[in-house]
Amino acid sequence: MQNKLPLTINPIKAAQKRLDYIGYYPNEAITRVENPKSNIECSLSFDFDEQRICVINIDAKITLEQICQRCFRPFVTEVHVMNKFSPVKSDTHAETLPEHYEPVLMNEFDEVDILALLEDEIILSLPIVPVHNSKHCEVSEADMVFGDIPIENEKPNPFAILVSLKNKG
């Protein structure tokens, strides 16, 4: 087991050695995720499955500060991502993978950028509309009700004239 987490790694060679990593990426290295409040704590394992497909298992956690979209105040939340990836060299190769593996493209050196992969997964797991838990939010349930929809006044039927003309004839 390794304590130092690699930024990039050749997953095929790592799977042949059955490497496992437990460690963290410092929040200074995180460039695409906004307001990280902690390091990315991560465990990585490389192996081959029964079909001899290279598999990267990722389990990572990070604490982020987000802005509540109800009260517009910051709040701290923890994001936990777990997924299984398989390295591919092209999109056509990605289509042949079993559906329980996410494809990850290798670069021209047959390496995978692990930090970029983690940032992608964190971004994908963020809520579309971040909000506090309703009991911790400054905007109460009663404040979220904006009143009843007013009933429109009865408008005259524009075809009523046609009905009166039809009845005259």
Side-chain angles (χ1 to χ4, degrees):
M1 187 166 330
Q2 308 279 332
N3 287 329
K4 189 175 179 183
L5 295 178
L7 294 176
T8 62
I9 193 167
N10 183 320
I12 306 296
K13 290 180 180 176
Q16 289 169 344
K17 296 176 185 177
R18 294 195 170 160
L19 293 179
D20 292 328
Y21 293 89
I22 294 178
Y24 69 94
Y25 291 102
N27 63 356
E28 296 85 30
I30 305 166
T31 59
R32 296 180 8 218
V33 178
E34 291 187 11
N35 301 322
K37 293 298 177 192
S38 71
N39 302 323
I40 299 177
E41 297 174 20
C42 183
S43 67
L44 304 168
S45 66
F46 299 86
D47 204 353
F48 290 101
D49 69 359
E50 302 83 31
Q51 299 174 346
R52 300 294 300 156
I53 297 173
C54 180
V55 179
I56 306 169
N57 287 305
I58 291 181
D59 186 351
K61 292 181 197 171
I62 186 171
T63 303
L64 301 173
E65 182 178 87
Q66 295 185 302
I67 303 296
C68 176
Q69 296 302 300
R70 281 191 292 230
C71 67
F72 299 108
R73 302 243 188 256
F75 70 101
V76 176
T77 185
E78 184 176 278
V79 178
H80 184 206
V81 293
M82 290 176 53
N83 213 338
K84 292 183 178 190
F85 297 92
S86 184
V88 295
K89 292 187 180 193
S90 67
D91 290 335
T92 54
H93 183 221
E95 293 172 4
T96 64
L97 281 178
E99 61 185 50
H100 52 275
Y101 296 133
E102 288 289 325
V104 59
L105 283 173
M106 294 189 290
N107 63 18
E108 63 272 8
F109 306 110
D110 292 337
E111 291 183 336
V112 171
D113 187 342
I114 300 292
L115 182 57
L117 178 63
L118 282 171
E119 286 178 328
D120 288 345
E121 285 299 300
I122 290 166
I123 291 168
L124 287 172
S125 66
L126 291 175
I128 294 172
V129 181
V131 291
H132 282 107
N133 186 333
S134 59
K135 60 184 167 184
H136 298 295
C137 192
E138 292 182 11
V139 177
S140 69
E141 296 280 331
D143 293 336
M144 289 190 275
V145 177
F146 298 105
D148 296 328
I149 298 175
I151 299 173
E152 291 187 20
N153 295 334
E154 292 279 330
K155 294 182 181 178
N157 185 349
F159 299 106
I161 296 172
L162 295 176
V163 172
S164 66
L165 291 174
K166 182 180 175 185
N167 290 339
K168 284 185 182 178

